[in-house]
Amino acid sequence: MSPGGDHAAAGRALASHAEDVQARTVAVGRSPRGPAAQFADGSFTAALTRAAASTVVLVTPDETPRRLTAATLPELRGV
């Protein structure tokens, strides 16, 4: 595990918690590391999106929130 921790494990843990509390939606913001890192395989956001039973939305200031799905992750890497 890297010194910063396992981002994918954190994403899966949040997805599990959201399911435990029966959350209908999980909102995430943009990463300061950029879209390529945020939506890459093994990232927090990618793991959360794949593992969550609830809706995951990307919230960016001054933009309409976007629903994230496994199918939208590759498209967002280039945003």
Side-chain angles (χ1 to χ4, degrees):
M1 183 177 350
S2 68
D6 183 347
H7 295 269
R12 290 188 298 273
L14 180 55
S16 177
H17 177 70
E19 186 171 352
D20 290 346
V21 299
Q22 299 177 345
R24 292 179 12 201
T25 303
V26 177
V28 294
R30 285 277 188 192
S31 170
R33 298 181 307 138
Q38 181 170 15
F39 304 113
D41 288 337
S43 71
F44 173 86
T45 303
L48 169 63
T49 300
R50 289 189 177 103
S54 59
T55 299
V56 178
V57 295
L58 176 66
V59 180
T60 304
D62 303 321
E63 291 183 20
T64 302
R66 289 183 75 160
R67 183 173 183 184
L68 299 179
T69 65
T72 63
L73 293 173
E75 167 194 332
L76 291 168
R77 287 185 191 118
V79 172

